[in-house]
Amino acid sequence: MSWRELEEELGRWRDAGRVADFWWRDDDASTLATGLQRLLSLSARNAVPLALAVVPLKAAPELFAGLGASVLMHGTDHRNRAAPGEKKTEFAAAEPQADAIARLSAARERLARQAGASFLPVLAPPWNRFKRALAARLPAAGLHGLSAYGPRAAAEAAPGIRQVNTHVDIIDWRGTRGFAGEDAALRAAVKHLAARRSGAADRAEPTGWLTHHALHDAAAQAFLERLFERTRALGARWLDPVALFPSRP
């Protein structure tokens, strides 16, 4: 997959009288590490809004000083509670719902206090896994949004819970655990854009890009720089997370 094919897909959107839209989420933030500083600089330099998924119980206060990003809630402590044979998850099947909601509520209060006006009451669960039955109870924890991975089934995961997912992960988790490469990233983006355009995926869900600043190398950083420059030059729109998720139902 090449940049030309992405540009051709964006051209099909323009020919249809539509503007292709994207959004950007970065996971696993807790400190103002060098990789995160580079990412924040990239966001500011290209005027591309960033949704930063922060681990509440690991977040250092200095992370939020002058932070130029929206803050989502990346679980509570990013601890794998999966039982043997269960895929990695912070929200294991055996955990009572009341316990999970209590954890989420306490973590949400802490993160909202630290992040202030940057905080959006949105859960981005670690490993993008969350028990479907818990979604309806998120308002009890003060949360009104959910962001996972893959095309959403509906605009709301449950009544009053806006869902906006990501669809392009630039990390090769099953291989090098580094940058997946231009071909894989562009292929995933074109696939989701084409599905939206044809109606095979929710037309209203913006194509979400997922990054992990701690694992980025120079190639990943250069790819994002080029992505932002080229998509904006071709008329695509990068949406502000504040517009995607309401602060309350």
Side-chain angles (χ1 to χ4, degrees):
M1 185 65 63
S2 67
W3 289 100
R4 179 179 58 79
E5 287 162 294
L6 175 63
E7 292 168 2
E8 288 174 351
E9 179 59 31
L10 293 178
R12 295 183 190 102
W13 277 68
R14 290 195 304 274
D15 292 344
R18 301 180 61 198
V19 176
D21 47 13
F22 302 106
W23 79 291
W24 179 20
R25 191 185 101 206
D26 183 81
D27 283 3
D28 299 342
S30 59
T31 64
L32 198 57
T34 300
L36 181 54
Q37 292 181 45
R38 285 197 295 264
L39 212 66
L40 290 168
S41 176
L42 181 67
S43 169
R45 190 164 62 250
N46 290 277
V48 173
L50 172 62
L52 192 62
V54 177
V55 183
L57 301 188
K58 296 182 179 180
E62 60 268 20
L63 172 64
F64 305 101
L67 183 64
S70 295
V71 173
L72 311 185
M73 188 166 131
H74 200 36
T76 62
D77 54 8
H78 208 300
R79 180 164 71 85
N80 179 21
R81 291 174 170 80
E86 189 177 10
K87 290 183 178 180
K88 283 185 176 181
T89 179
E90 189 179 306
F91 303 95
E95 182 181 26
Q97 289 190 16
D99 292 356
I101 293 300
R103 282 197 299 111
L104 286 165
S105 181
R108 194 268 310 161
E109 290 177 6
R110 183 180 194 272
L111 187 57
R113 186 168 55 250
Q114 286 186 303
S118 297
F119 178 68
L120 299 179
V122 176
L123 176 66
W127 301 285
N128 290 296
R129 296 192 181 105
F130 190 66
K131 292 188 289 189
R132 185 186 301 272
L134 272 178
R137 300 191 62 179
L138 285 177
L143 296 164
H144 305 292
L146 183 65
S147 181
Y149 190 81
R152 67 187 181 189
E156 290 192 334
I161 304 299
R162 177 72 54 79
Q163 181 156 13
V164 185
N165 290 344
T166 55
H167 313 89
V168 186
D169 191 336
I170 73 166
I171 298 300
D172 176 17
W173 293 104
R174 296 183 179 181
T176 65
R177 294 181 65 85
F179 179 44
E182 288 189 354
D183 180 79
L186 294 174
R187 185 179 305 278
V190 170
K191 179 180 178 181
H192 188 248
L193 285 167
R196 290 175 61 199
R197 180 173 49 80
S198 69
D202 188 337
R203 294 175 184 267
E205 183 180 29
T207 298
W209 291 78
L210 180 58
T211 62
H212 291 76
H213 60 272
L215 299 176
H216 291 187
D217 56 13
Q221 194 80 355
F223 171 79
L224 291 172
E225 187 92 54
R226 189 177 185 189
L227 174 71
F228 297 151
E229 290 177 355
R230 297 187 75 153
T231 53
R232 293 190 61 152
L234 291 164
R237 181 173 53 195
W238 287 87
L239 301 179
D240 192 324
V242 174
L244 297 177
F245 295 100
S247 59
R248 56 182 180 274

